[in-house]
Amino acid sequence: MKNGITKVLAGAGLVVFLITMAHTPGAHAQEEQAALGPQLSERLRTLLREEMNLIQSGMERALIAIAAGDHQTVYENGRDIYRSFILKQQLTEQDRRELMAVAPAGFIELDGTFHDTAHKLAKAGRDEDPELQAFYFSRLVESCTVCHARYAGDRFPGLSRLGESDSGHHHH
Ligand code: HEC
């Protein structure tokens, strides 16, 4: 199916784009006010980064599996992303309190959306439905960019325009 292949390839392009950006140190911390990372304790920030890197590896594997029709691997990676996300695991009660105190409601909400979508990707893997897999994969990529634009603008300056169009105010 041409449509499905196009979708998967579009997803691949975005992921390569994201990976490239993740390896480019953000030279200018322009949107520091919105950035969540600098407000976290060293411990919590390290945990968040570890989770992000796990998520990223899971996304790479899921993409390749979707392209190959390897449904079991799509399922496993969707499930791992869903389970490993920071708000679900590894946090002590104190970490959780810190995160809840610092993280804006919008961040918690985006986390929830991301989490739900990873769950749906896992289901689409289990149901052996490549079209839905590509759909939920692209929804996940969208979640990465939206959350990074809003809450990690210092780290990902290339997404700042996306953040502006949603946040309704500008810093000069
Ligand atoms: C709910 C918000 C949110 C979502 C969704 C999200 N991220 Fe992040 N991500 C962050 C924040 C905040 C940081 C910056 C952490 C910091 O300041 O060190 C970050 C940082 C990263 C980093 C850099 C980690 C490091 O070692 O410094 C990578 C890589 C990353 N994210 C990948 C992804 C990918 C891929 C996705 C989607 C599949 C994703 N993230 C989804 C919030 C999110």
Side-chain angles (χ1 to χ4, degrees):
M1 256 183 76
K2 229 178 196 166
N3 204 18
I5 291 165
T6 312
K7 274 191 212 157
V8 170
L9 288 180
L14 273 169
V15 168
V16 170
F17 178 55
L18 277 173
I19 292 166
T20 310
M21 286 196 305
H23 287 271
T24 310
H28 307 288
Q30 297 156 325
E31 302 279 323
E32 206 119 46
Q33 272 161 304
L36 181 63
Q39 302 177 56
L40 300 174
S41 66
E42 206 45 47
R43 177 187 145 76
L44 205 48
R45 193 175 193 182
T46 303
L47 277 177
L48 176 62
R49 285 178 171 163
E50 279 171 8
E51 292 297 330
M52 284 295 144
N53 286 299
L54 283 176
I55 286 170
Q56 182 156 281
S57 317
M59 288 291 283
E60 287 176 46
R61 285 191 296 267
L63 170 67
I64 291 163
I66 292 169
D70 180 356
H71 305 298
Q72 179 64 21
T73 304
V74 176
Y75 165 72
E76 284 168 10
N77 283 285
R79 182 199 59 196
D80 289 350
I81 292 168
Y82 155 71
R83 282 188 186 162
S84 80
F85 200 49
I86 179 159
L87 298 188
K88 277 281 153 189
Q89 235 187 334
Q90 267 205 326
L91 296 184
T92 64
E93 201 41 53
Q94 199 191 334
D95 292 333
R96 207 177 296 273
R97 272 201 299 272
E98 181 195 330
L99 191 65
M100 291 306 165
V102 175
F107 180 89
I108 308 287
E109 200 185 311
L110 277 172
D111 166 58
T113 307
F114 181 81
H115 179 268
D116 284 352
T117 309
H119 203 192
K120 287 175 182 161
L121 175 63
K123 274 194 204 147
R126 202 191 49 203
D127 294 346
E128 309 197 346
D129 184 338
E131 223 173 324
L132 266 189
Q133 290 165 20
F135 174 71
Y136 287 123
F137 188 89
S138 70
R139 291 274 304 272
L140 283 175
V141 174
E142 203 183 324
S143 294
C144 318
T145 58
V146 169
C147 192
H148 291 165
R150 288 192 198 157
Y151 303 109
D154 57 337
R155 181 64 200 265
F156 302 109
L159 294 171
S160 59
R161 232 189 280 169
L162 191 65
E164 276 171 24
S165 65
D166 269 334
S167 70
H169 65 272
H170 300 257
H171 306 292
H172 288 288

